[in-house]
Amino acid sequence: MHGHHDPALVALSILIAIAASYTALDLAGRLRAASDKRASIAWLGTAALAMGGGIWSMHFVAMLALSLPGVTITYDAALTLFSLVLAIGVTGLGFAVARDADGGLRPLLIAGLLMGAGILAMHYTGMAAMRMPMEMHYSPFWVGVSVVIAIGASTAALWLALVETRPVLRFGAALAMGVAVSGMHYAGMHAAHFVPSLEARQAITGVGLNHANLAVGVAVITFGILALALAAAVVDRRLAQMAAMEAHRLRRSEEQFRALYRHTPLPLHSLSGKGTILEASDSWLQLLCRNREDVHGERLAFFMEPESAQKFLDHDWPLLLQGQAMDDVEYRFHTKDGVPIDVLMSSRLECDGETLSISGGLIDVTARKRAEEALRQTQKMEAIGKLSGGIAHDFNNLLAVVLGNLELLQRRYAHDDRATVLIENAMQGARRGSVLTQHMLSFARQQMLQAEPVSVPHLFQSIQDTLQRSLGPQIQLDTDFDPQGVTAHVDAHQLEISIINLAVNAKDAMPEGGTIRVCAKRGNLQSGDVDGLKPGAYVRVDIADDGIGMDPQTLARARDPFFTTKGLERGSGLGLSMVHGFAEQSGGALVLESEFGSGTRARLWLPAADVEVGAALSALPMQQASAGPLKILAVDDDFLVLMNTVDLLQELGHDVIEASSGTMALDMLEKDAGIELLVTDHAMPGMTGTELARAIRQRRPELPILVVTGYAEIPENEQLKLPMLGKPFTHDQLKDAVASALTSAPKPGSGAQALSSIH
């Protein structure tokens, strides 16, 4: 006998199976989304309760649908409760094994086998709980069908529980699973064959549950479990959605802040409490020429120079951790290529709960530091130049007196051999002092330069033999001159001295001998090619050696006055400073290039001449022969210098009267119309020599004027095209200067033109 099933209860059992499957799949989704182990275990138990309890409920509702004609069926309470526990337990075990499988097929099949076997055990335990006067026999075939359906449905349920599905797909999967579970049950019921038995009737003992009570209990348990489980899932899902939305907003806000932080034009960084870099802006990375991967997680001190890193770690970092802010603290960083960068860094401590971080920013002051250093160097050189020029001016006055008197003595005692030797030695010493003052004036850019077109190759050829003898046989001179001609607009004598100084320095850098290469080329410079030089045509004179070279510290100080690496008796330290001053005063520059162990190259940039040397020479005026006796007014505020000038002029045969100031000279000119020449010092208190010349030009425009000066401090607009004589001077130089003054004096009748040149 197979019995009959109530269609309504059959439909209800299938509905319960579908609802239980949907609830279990939904709860399994919460299992995947669980944030910690405790939550995962809780959702695992809930899913097992929903799935196992739902299958159990479907099973007994389906059992209630069975009716056997004339047979009363009751159920054993203990076995019924055991079947419920068995269903929940094996379902939870299956979910647990599948959850820990990490997507593996073999663990999934094992979990499906365990759950299927447990459901079958639950089904047949429930069948055994039936109490009726009949014996049950099972068809092996249909039992096998129920086994296959149970294991297959369980495996499918576990797989779907671990796969993220949309609600529509989840409902379809629940429908399929509900039908499969129901099919397993009814296949198992179809396998049962009931046979009336007196022994079975006599074996019915104990208290059973009638159909009405059992239906009510099963319905309450089923709907209560499913309702509570679904409610919990809905609440949890809503909370999870809210948390996800908040996390999304937070993540988006963090991304926006990170993007803003990284793209800000300011070099910013953020450090951890251990001093490692958490974040850096793009400007920060560009400043240090680094990639983001290079700096993330590295200590900030790693990118500092050693002194700055020690200062930061030993002093500033502990203060930052104590909460003290740092504003515009100076450090030196280095780029990826090792280039030093001077920065000002400001930092603040940020505390977010238990997390500490340091926010900081950099200001690049490298260019400012270099500009300040250049300004300090310029001011230092200017101050030294003024000091050197002032000393040289006063020393020149003294040398003028010494040399003038020595020359007069030499003429007086020309027949005394012993006196001549002594006087000549004294004059040699004075001349050496004069050379020293000329070096000082050249460095101070206050020497008197007579700029003219000079052919550099011709000038070098004129001194090459003398220079080679001075350098010695161990030094070889190589030349490379532009065949098109190289003509510079400079003072020829000072260029000679500069070349000799540079060559001697090159020779001293090669104690075991070597080669000095002299090269001269003409070229055009653009703006910025050489610091301090305007665009235009220049002559480049290179003097290079293959000697020991200079380290960076020595190279930086090479042009400083009185700085020398030679012995005490071998150099004054004014050679390079003189060349530097001559180049700048001529409108050019001196550029030194050197590396220790690789030699030195001194490069002179000089303004190129606009005319050929021959044409320039032909345009020079011819000087007249020496003049006859003249009545001369000599003016100087220094009595010794004035007396020396008077004595030398008298030695030349002139009638000389003297004045100690410009005002006195004007008074004497008013009283004595017979004065034929004015010889005046320039640097005098009250009225300078050029101011005196301007006043005389207004009164006596045709009067010849000769200005004597220790250095060229006269602005161009005050020179009035007057002939000038530098101190100290010799008898012959004074004689030539007087003749030149007479030649260049305005002709009678040209007073209006002279006055116009003044104004």
Side-chain angles (χ1 to χ4, degrees):
M1 180 183 299
H2 288 285
H4 302 282
H5 289 84
D6 185 342
L9 293 180
V10 170
L12 179 60
S13 67
I14 296 175
L15 181 61
I16 291 174
I18 294 172
S21 299
Y22 182 85
T23 304
L25 291 178
D26 189 64
L27 294 173
R30 307 317 309 145
L31 174 64
R32 291 191 302 272
S35 58
D36 54 39
K37 187 174 182 181
R38 294 179 61 183
S40 177
I41 293 174
W43 286 114
L44 176 65
T46 306
L49 182 62
M51 189 72 179
I55 293 175
W56 177 85
S57 299
M58 180 278 306
H59 166 74
F60 280 97
V61 169
M63 294 289 290
L64 290 174
L66 175 67
S67 63
L68 297 173
V71 178
T72 300
I73 302 175
T74 59
Y75 295 89
D76 183 86
L79 285 177
T80 300
L81 183 60
F82 176 72
S83 65
L84 172 61
V85 174
L86 186 62
I88 296 173
V90 297
T91 304
L93 180 62
F95 276 129
V97 174
R99 180 196 60 181
D100 299 333
D102 294 329
L105 179 60
R106 183 176 179 182
L108 181 64
L109 294 176
I110 293 174
L113 181 62
L114 289 174
M115 183 180 287
I119 292 173
L120 287 169
M122 179 276 300
H123 172 76
Y124 288 105
T125 300
M127 293 286 290
M130 297 174 66
R131 294 293 180 262
M132 56 185 175
M134 286 192 168
E135 292 182 354
M136 284 185 292
H137 300 279
Y138 294 96
S139 168
F141 173 77
W142 286 105
V143 170
V145 171
S146 67
V147 170
V148 172
I149 294 176
I151 296 175
S154 298
T155 304
L158 291 172
W159 179 74
L160 290 171
L162 299 176
V163 176
E164 185 69 36
T165 57
R166 295 190 297 272
V168 175
L169 296 178
R170 189 184 303 127
F171 180 77
L175 180 63
M177 283 182 59
V179 173
V181 171
S182 300
M184 178 277 299
H185 172 80
Y186 288 107
M189 291 294 294
H190 189 71
H193 183 71
F194 302 97
V195 178
S197 171
L198 180 60
E199 292 80 4
R201 179 178 299 181
Q202 293 174 348
I204 297 175
T205 59
V207 180
L209 297 174
N210 61 31
H211 288 200
N213 294 335
L214 187 58
V216 173
V218 169
V220 171
I221 293 174
T222 301
F223 290 111
I225 291 174
L226 295 182
L228 291 175
L230 283 175
V234 169
V235 172
D236 185 72
R237 180 175 288 104
R238 180 58 182 166
L239 293 175
Q241 290 175 350
M242 293 174 62
M245 292 175 61
E246 183 63 25
H248 176 72
R249 284 195 296 267
L250 181 60
R251 185 168 55 254
R252 187 171 182 180
S253 176
E254 290 177 349
E255 291 174 353
Q256 290 175 344
F257 176 76
R258 185 178 293 108
L260 178 64
Y261 187 93
R262 290 184 175 181
H263 299 328
T264 180
L266 302 176
L268 303 178
H269 61 255
S270 178
L271 308 179
S272 69
K274 296 182 179 179
T276 58
I277 297 176
L278 300 175
E279 189 60 81
S281 66
D282 293 343
S283 297
W284 194 97
L285 298 173
Q286 292 172 3
L287 178 62
L288 297 183
C289 302
R290 301 278 182 175
N291 297 322
R292 197 170 301 280
E293 296 76 15
D294 297 338
V295 305
H296 186 73
E298 286 284 354
R299 295 174 65 88
L300 181 66
F302 175 77
F303 304 102
M304 295 180 177
E305 293 288 294
E307 292 183 2
S308 293
Q310 184 175 1
K311 170 189 172 185
F312 176 72
L313 294 175
D314 295 346
H315 181 265
D316 297 342
W317 181 251
L319 296 179
L320 278 172
L321 293 180
Q322 294 173 11
Q324 182 173 333
M326 296 289 177
D327 293 320
D328 295 335
V329 182
E330 187 172 332
Y331 299 99
R332 172 164 284 192
F333 282 68
H334 55 261
T335 66
K336 191 173 184 178
D337 299 328
V339 178
I341 297 178
D342 294 302
V343 303
L344 297 178
M345 186 169 75
S346 299
S347 303
R348 296 287 187 280
L349 176 66
E350 305 288 346
C351 184
D352 183 12
E354 297 181 355
T355 304
L356 295 179
S357 64
I358 304 294
S359 298
L362 307 180
I363 299 177
D364 183 9
V365 294
T366 306
R368 190 180 80 185
K369 292 272 290 183
R370 291 176 180 172
E372 290 174 350
E373 180 62 28
L375 178 60
R376 283 193 293 269
Q377 182 71 10
T378 301
Q379 291 173 339
K380 181 186 75 172
M381 300 297 281
E382 183 179 356
I384 295 176
K386 289 181 178 179
L387 176 63
S388 301
I391 293 174
H393 175 263
D394 293 340
F395 196 45
N396 268 338
N397 284 340
L398 298 176
L399 287 175
V401 175
V402 172
L403 280 173
N405 284 278
L406 286 173
E407 193 167 5
L408 292 175
L409 286 174
Q410 189 179 45
R411 291 177 179 274
R412 295 284 179 90
Y413 295 96
H415 302 292
D416 188 334
D417 294 339
R418 176 61 179 167
T420 299
V421 172
L422 295 175
I423 292 171
E424 181 61 30
N425 289 339
M427 292 181 69
Q428 287 293 337
R431 291 191 187 102
R432 290 178 63 180
S434 177
V435 172
L436 179 61
T437 59
Q438 288 301 314
H439 285 181
M440 296 172 66
L441 289 170
S442 178
F443 160 71
R445 299 185 296 279
Q446 294 177 353
Q447 63 181 333
M448 294 176 56
L449 298 181
Q450 300 294 330
E452 58 183 346
V454 176
S455 171
V456 177
H458 292 165
L459 181 142
F460 186 80
Q461 289 173 5
S462 67
I463 64 172
Q464 186 170 1
D465 292 341
T466 303
L467 181 60
Q468 183 65 74
R469 285 193 297 271
S470 300
L471 297 177
Q474 290 183 310
I475 302 299
Q476 179 180 344
L477 275 175
D478 287 348
T479 59
D480 180 14
F481 298 130
D482 193 333
Q484 301 298 324
V486 184
T487 305
H489 188 71
V490 293
D491 185 299
H493 178 63
Q494 293 299 324
L495 180 57
E496 285 183 5
I497 295 176
S498 298
I499 292 176
I500 292 172
N501 273 328
L502 294 175
V504 170
N505 278 347
K507 175 236 181 186
D508 291 340
M510 299 183 293
E512 298 181 359
T515 301
I516 298 176
R517 293 169 294 280
V518 182
C519 172
K521 305 288 183 183
R522 181 186 173 102
N524 293 318
L525 290 180
Q526 304 299 323
S527 178
D529 287 349
V530 178
D531 290 342
L533 293 189
K534 300 177 181 179
Y538 290 86
V539 170
R540 188 192 75 199
V541 180
D542 289 350
I543 298 179
D545 63 68
D546 49 10
I548 59 176
M550 293 181 281
D551 56 38
Q553 292 76 18
T554 303
L555 181 62
R557 299 189 58 194
R559 291 179 295 186
D560 289 357
F562 308 110
F563 174 77
T564 179
T565 57
K566 304 175 185 178
L568 187 61
E569 301 296 329
R570 297 185 59 196
S572 64
L574 284 172
L576 284 177
S577 60
M578 183 276 294
V579 178
H580 169 66
F582 158 69
E584 289 201 348
Q585 189 176 356
S586 300
L590 171 65
V591 179
L592 297 177
E593 301 172 0
S594 184
E595 185 176 346
F596 189 74
S598 301
T600 301
R601 178 189 301 275
R603 177 163 291 174
L604 267 175
W605 290 97
L606 302 170
D610 296 330
V611 295
E612 295 296 330
V613 176
L617 292 177
S618 64
L620 294 176
M622 298 295 295
Q623 290 188 352
Q624 294 181 351
S626 59
L630 301 171
K631 188 171 185 179
I632 300 176
L633 174 60
V635 186
D636 201 307
D637 64 304
D638 190 315
F639 177 76
L640 292 178
V641 177
L642 178 61
M643 290 300 99
N644 177 71
T645 304
V646 170
D647 290 341
L648 287 176
L649 288 172
Q650 289 176 346
E651 184 72 16
L652 291 173
H654 300 296
D655 181 16
V656 186
I657 57 178
E658 64 268 8
S660 60
S661 67
T663 304
M664 183 184 295
L666 289 176
D667 291 341
M668 297 179 71
L669 282 169
E670 288 289 342
K671 297 176 182 179
D672 190 348
I675 295 176
E676 301 172 89
L677 174 66
L678 174 71
V679 178
T680 178
D681 184 31
H682 172 67
M684 297 184 296
M687 179 182 289
T688 66
T690 52
E691 291 173 344
L692 174 61
R694 173 170 286 135
I696 293 173
R697 280 282 186 263
Q698 293 175 349
R699 302 178 185 185
R700 294 180 58 179
E702 74 284 353
L703 180 68
I705 301 174
L706 174 63
V707 178
V708 181
T709 181
Y711 53 94
E713 64 180 4
I714 307 173
E716 289 292 332
N717 63 344
E718 291 186 3
Q719 289 187 14
L720 305 176
K721 299 181 180 179
L722 299 174
M724 300 178 67
L725 176 62
K727 298 177 184 178
F729 49 83
T730 65
H731 176 278
D732 292 336
Q733 289 172 340
L734 179 60
K735 179 180 178 181
D736 293 339
V738 169
S740 176
L742 295 175
T743 302
S744 60
K747 299 299 184 291
S750 61
Q753 180 180 358
L755 286 173
S756 64
S757 68
I758 297 174
H759 299 288

